[in-house]
Amino acid sequence: MSAARAAHPGIDNPGASAVAAKGWLAANKWLLARRLSQALVVAVFLTGPLWGVWIAKGNLASSLTLGVLPLTDPLMVLQALAAGHVMTAAALIGAAIVLAAYLVVGGRMYCSWVCPVNAVTDLAHWLRTRLGIEKGLSLNRRTRLWVLGGVLAASAVTGAIAWELVNPVTMLHRGLVTGSILTFGSASLITLAVFLFDLGVAQRGWCTHLCPVGAFYGLLGRAAVLRVAAVNRAACDDCMDCFAVCPERHVIAPALRGADKGVGPVIMSHDCTNCGRCIDVCSKTVFRFDTRFHNVPSDAPPSKAGVKAA
Amino acid sequence: MARHHKTGGDAVDHNRRAVLAGTVKGACTVGLIGALLAIPARRRAEAVALRPPGAVAEKDFLAACVRCGLCVKDCPYDTLKLSDLGDGPTLGTPFFNARKVPCEMCEHIPCVAACPTGALDKGLKDIKNAKMGVAVLVGQETCLNFLGLRCDVCYRVCPRIGEAITLELSHNARTAKHAFFIPTVHSAKCTGCGKCERACVLDEAAIKVLPHALATGQLGKHYRLGWEEKKSAGGSLVEPSPEVQVRGMEGVEMTPGGTYKLEKRPDGGFKEFKP
């Protein structure tokens, strides 16, 4: 173990070399932007109840912004449909807007930029690394697709929107925007459960393996335009920092290591959450946000002989 | 570790770390099971919780409501709440507790206007047609009016005074000289706003708003009310009974109602009766 750590100090403290190379701010740029975005998604709902300035009403299930913009979770509409209810115009328009937006920016951008549970599971993962807890319960990341199927089946059988009895995403967001998180209620209990599950039971257990909301948005992201690309992959020195921080680490290798196989530099997996953490922690500036259209091998400058060997 | 210690301390440190990690894992598992069990364990039976005005039937409501809370936000009186563990209704769905804050029956029904999903039916244009539930005077042994007093508060606060709640007079046999003024709810007019329940002066309300099915009962689907059928058909639906001959009444004329026209004799018998 010590030997492995000595070879790859990044695994113990990913991002250290990026901080040294680029400075702390540049090495945490996207993480900070993401936390800000997640905080804003809560804050816009809180200005009304706290100060009487209404920006958004409702919660992540369905909301109305500035009195004109309806947004509805399309998975909710789908569950209602399975349960036998066709929603009224406001919800359908809201769901269409959400669908259109995530088709462009990448479905799982919801997970890393909007969903409040992300901050909880990221904290659990950070603590888990700090405490040196090994991987734990092994789950297949496709489990979430089965959970998603089960959610729709349960809605169809019971005639009720089934996932809302469990959904930590809406429960936590509801708890944050109504203040009920401060009580010993569903929001705090389910959040605690997810946190403890990710900390002590399964590494990145919830978001990466089980959450059907993430699975649904992942399916939406198959054709997404906005992507992370390893444009400068020739400069990669195999420090493994990006793998250490990535919540979906299987998405990186094809793009980062695909030069010899003629694979383009864009991360095309719909599991990628566009969190941008790999961009942050790379001291060689290998990654950047790009579009799916720049995915021919020639979009990444050719490998310089000797870089890998060094 | 290599950051904090010289190589010699590594083994000891690694051991300590493994113990710590194991402890944390165990604690997390215990905590996780605890939190998951606490969710159903915190459920408490509450007799009834009322849905906002315009709510579709409960079965359909759970297929439509996304628990967004927009109705709650637009309720100007903070009547509506989203259900949490122990509140009774399905987690996250809107409800109100009439004893705490009743529905003020806003003219423009903002909660219905706010609903994006159709869980609250936009077809409800007049709040007087709302059916959030039906008030029932359950405390017939404690209601002050039932005890012979003139409390009348539920009647007075009813937004449909004299229609949804009326005071029905009856004789008070206990005092033999007073009347009972019995508050009587008419389910066809009651919106279930709960102002009566809120205002009831007792420690525990004698009048409570209950969901329709609980409050009114349900006749078997095959039941027909003869007098209603007769009214809508404009006449009796059954053939008049054939004339029945009664011994001793031969030749006596019958009324269309099927009774004999009889004249009493001074000795108590009937003039027409010839035994």
Side-chain angles (χ1 to χ4, degrees), chain B residues 213-226:
Chain B
L214 277 182
T216 58
Q218 176 76 57
L219 270 177
K221 285 196 170 53
H222 59 288
Y223 274 64
R224 297 289 179 272
L225 305 179

Side-chain angles (χ1 to χ4, degrees), chain A residues 139-141 143-144 203-211:
Chain A
L139 296 162
N140 188 317
R141 63 172 188 272
T143 311
R144 54 189 158 187
Q203 176 174 278
R204 296 222 186 259
W206 185 256
C207 299
T208 304
H209 298 89
L210 295 180
C211 179

Side-chain angles (χ1 to χ4, degrees), chain A residues 9 20 22 36 66 72 104 111 113 126 133 148 194-195 225 233 245 296:
Chain A
K22 305 191 283 193
L36 187 67
L66 298 173
T72 301
V104 175
C111 299
W113 291 78
W126 176 82
I133 301 172
L148 175 60
V194 167
F195 177 77
V225 175
R233 59 189 175 187
V245 295
V296 278

Side-chain angles (χ1 to χ4, degrees), chain A residues 2-303:
Chain A
S2 292
R5 289 212 172 143
H8 297 296
I11 290 172
D12 218 19
N13 189 18
S17 53
V19 172
K22 305 191 283 193
W24 186 87
L25 198 61
N28 289 282
K29 181 170 67 174
W30 291 109
L31 181 64
L32 291 172
R34 231 151 45 73
R35 294 287 177 251
L36 187 67
S37 162
Q38 287 162 343
L40 274 176
V41 168
V42 174
V44 290
F45 290 91
L46 278 176
T47 56
L50 291 181
W51 305 295
V53 185
W54 290 98
I55 300 174
K57 286 180 180 177
N59 56 43
L60 283 185
S62 192
S63 65
L64 186 64
T65 301
L66 298 173
V68 289
L69 175 69
L71 294 173
T72 301
D73 187 340
L75 181 56
M76 238 28 121
V77 176
L78 209 60
Q79 285 179 80
L81 207 60
H85 174 80
V86 180
M87 290 199 173
T88 48
L92 293 179
I93 294 168
I97 294 171
V98 171
L99 274 176
Y102 285 111
L103 279 175
V104 175
V105 300
R108 295 210 61 203
M109 206 134 173
Y110 177 85
C111 299
S112 58
W113 291 78
V114 175
C115 180
V117 176
N118 173 270
V120 175
T121 56
D122 272 0
L123 177 67
H125 185 75
W126 176 82
L127 202 57
R128 170 182 263 278
T129 315
R130 272 298 156 109
L131 295 171
I133 301 172
E134 73 276 27
K135 192 167 169 285
L137 184 69
S138 180
L139 296 162
N140 188 317
R141 63 172 188 272
R142 281 194 181 76
T143 311
R144 54 189 158 187
L145 288 169
W146 291 105
V147 177
L148 175 60
V151 163
L152 293 175
S155 297
V157 170
T158 61
I161 295 178
W163 188 240
E164 283 315 286
L165 300 172
V166 187
N167 195 354
V169 179
T170 45
M171 276 187 211
L172 175 55
H173 192 257
R174 196 189 301 137
L176 289 169
V177 303
T178 63
S180 73
I181 186 82
L182 302 173
T183 66
F184 188 57
S186 59
S188 36
L189 281 174
I190 199 82
T191 307
L192 181 69
V194 167
F195 177 77
L196 294 177
F197 180 69
D198 265 31
L199 176 62
V201 180
Q203 176 174 278
R204 296 222 186 259
W206 185 256
C207 299
T208 304
H209 298 89
L210 295 180
C211 179
V213 181
F216 173 79
Y217 279 94
L219 294 177
L220 275 191
R222 281 181 177 273
V225 175
L226 185 66
R227 302 277 183 174
V228 173
V231 283
N232 199 17
R233 59 189 175 187
C236 175
D237 63 355
D238 288 332
C239 74
M240 303 296 283
D241 278 8
C242 55
F243 288 98
V245 295
C246 183
E248 303 275 353
R249 52 187 64 171
H250 61 281
V251 308
I252 298 179
L256 184 63
R257 307 254 167 90
D260 303 335
K261 296 173 202 136
V263 178
V266 176
I267 293 175
M268 294 300 276
S269 169
H270 60 273
D271 284 339
C272 174
T273 68
N274 274 358
C275 72
R277 192 71 185 127
C278 54
I279 307 176
D280 277 348
V281 300
C282 182
S283 58
K284 305 291 178 195
T285 327
V286 167
F287 300 96
R288 69 153 195 239
F289 275 114
D290 208 326
T291 68
R292 67 183 294 123
F293 307 117
H294 291 152
N295 195 29
V296 278
S298 59
D299 285 326
S303 183

Side-chain angles (χ1 to χ4, degrees), chain B residues 100-238:
Chain B
K100 285 184 184 147
V101 193
C103 172
E104 294 288 337
M105 290 175 59
C106 309
E107 197 186 333
H108 300 296
I109 331 181
C111 49
V112 173
C115 179
T117 66
L120 305 182
D121 185 4
K122 293 225 174 11
L124 180 69
K125 298 289 181 206
D126 184 350
I127 190 66
K128 286 203 182 79
N129 295 329
K131 291 273 167 251
M132 295 171 267
V134 178
V136 182
L137 209 155
V138 289
Q140 302 204 351
E141 290 165 335
T142 49
C143 168
L144 297 183
N145 278 39
F146 266 80
L147 295 176
L149 304 174
R150 288 300 303 276
C151 165
D152 297 3
V153 165
C154 55
Y155 167 76
R156 293 283 161 207
V157 298
C158 179
R160 304 194 70 183
I161 182 170
E163 293 182 289
I165 303 183
T166 56
L167 294 176
E168 303 294 329
L169 265 68
S170 60
H171 176 60
N172 184 342
R174 179 172 56 78
T175 64
K177 56 186 173 185
H178 298 100
F180 286 123
F181 289 77
I182 302 299
T184 306
V185 179
H186 303 276
S187 68
K189 300 288 171 68
C190 176
T191 63
C193 72
K195 294 203 115 177
C196 51
E197 183 178 340
R198 175 74 188 90
C200 180
V201 300
L202 302 190
D203 286 351
E204 177 71 43
I207 190 163
K208 290 188 198 308
V209 181
L210 303 177
H212 254 266
L214 277 182
T216 58
Q218 176 76 57
L219 270 177
K221 285 196 170 53
H222 59 288
Y223 274 64
R224 297 289 179 272
L225 305 179
W227 54 95
E228 300 285 350
E229 299 292 326
K230 198 168 167 181
K231 210 189 289 175
S232 61
S236 180
L237 294 171
V238 289

